Amino acid sequence: MSFTREQILERLHARVAAGVPIIGAGAGTGISAKSAEAGGIDLIIIYNSGRFRMAGRGSVAGMLPYGDANQIVVDMGREVLPIVKDTPVLAGVCGTDPFRIMPLFLKQIKEMGFSGVQNYPTVGYFDGIARQDMEETGFSYDLEVEMIGHAKELGLFTSPYVYNEIEAEKMTKAGADVLVAHMGLTTKGTIGSKSAQLIDVCVEKIQSIHDVAKSINPNILVICHGGPISEPEDVQYVLSKTKGIAGFFGASSIERLPTEKAIRDQVIAFKNVKV
């Protein structure tokens, strides 16, 4: 079931007014989406990293040339969309894809039943020479900003990743509904990042992103994601140390880490059966 942008915003602002955090979940499989909805998730996002993550590969694989990111999302949509009954499902759209006419692709995404979009894979993940080369050769973050603008014009809900204040400003001015302050690859588990920014450094960055966005659009919502923010207690810490952050988006945190633990512990339990 698809939702209008207005319906989603009404739901999310009601959560905020009630003092309940907005929680979004990445879903790499149908069972992940089905289980997240059973838990009361507010948003489900499917993008190519979910496919790699749930195949036992690190989420960063989604940033590398191991498949057509936008086509993977279309394929995943056929798996997820028919079984999610009462939750908006967003598509991770690679806005720099040079082989798609983006307004037409966004119409296809909407017609499939997606209620919104997120910019993923994103060149925002990169910095240094790699980022400079991308920006100078036709793969600019500004294309992702344009994609978000096109999506808004089509009535799609938009929830882009931003990594810093400059990107937050651009996406807010493009009309984004929710900003996801991205703190890097999620830590912990068997394929998570082994290093991350200190959580207190993340707190400062998240707050700065929030403040820039709110100065442009007081109604925008900002949630956090990634890096050392991998467990509920981490989210609680961030929310207690920031002002105005409305919630959390978890991908590895919600589908990979619980799956790793649950399967491992179930196998151990079976192995402990007495013969």
Side-chain angles (χ1 to χ4, degrees), residues 102-110 117 147 150-151 154 156:
M102 196 49 60
L104 296 181
F105 180 64
L106 291 172
K107 286 181 182 179
Q108 177 188 351
I109 287 295
K110 185 175 182 179
V117 299
M147 182 273 289
H150 287 311
L154 288 173
L156 288 162

Side-chain angles (χ1 to χ4, degrees), residues 74-231:
V74 169
D75 294 340
M76 292 171 70
R78 297 191 182 102
E79 178 178 341
V80 171
L81 289 166
I83 62 170
V84 174
K85 303 303 181 184
D86 194 39
T87 308
V89 180
L90 314 186
V93 174
C94 180
T96 57
D97 187 341
F99 299 103
R100 280 178 172 78
I101 300 171
M102 196 49 60
L104 296 181
F105 180 64
L106 291 172
K107 286 181 182 179
Q108 177 188 351
I109 287 295
K110 185 175 182 179
E111 289 168 359
M112 283 186 66
F114 285 101
S115 300
V117 299
Q118 186 174 59
N119 58 323
Y120 194 91
T122 170
V123 301
Y125 176 79
F126 297 90
D127 57 18
I129 296 298
R131 176 65 175 272
Q132 181 180 321
D133 288 346
M134 291 175 183
E135 294 285 343
E136 293 178 355
T137 57
F139 303 95
S140 168
Y141 187 84
D142 286 346
L143 290 175
E144 299 176 28
V145 177
E146 288 180 18
M147 182 273 289
I148 292 297
H150 287 311
K152 183 185 178 184
E153 291 173 2
L154 288 173
L156 288 162
F157 175 82
T158 57
S159 181
Y161 278 139
V162 298
Y163 290 78
N164 54 52
E165 294 91 336
I166 294 173
E167 293 171 1
E169 179 181 356
K170 288 182 176 182
M171 285 298 190
T172 304
K173 288 181 177 178
D177 298 307
V178 174
L179 294 188
V180 184
H182 200 309
M183 295 296 108
L185 197 63
T186 301
T187 57
K188 300 183 181 177
T190 60
I191 54 174
S193 175
K194 299 298 185 286
S195 60
Q197 304 174 78
L198 295 174
I199 196 165
D200 286 320
V201 173
C202 292
V203 164
E204 294 178 6
K205 289 185 175 182
I206 292 164
Q207 189 67 63
S208 295
I209 287 170
H210 167 276
D211 294 347
V212 166
K214 285 286 190 178
S215 71
I216 300 167
N217 177 10
N219 293 319
I220 199 168
L221 297 170
V222 180
I223 62 178
C224 59
H225 169 74
I229 315 168
S230 58
E231 300 284 359

Side-chain angles (χ1 to χ4, degrees), residues 27-38 54 79-80 83-84 255 259:
T29 65
I31 193 66
S32 295
K34 194 177 185 75
S35 299
E37 183 170 54
M54 298 310 284
E79 178 178 341
V80 171
I83 62 170
V84 174
E255 68 170 351
T259 299

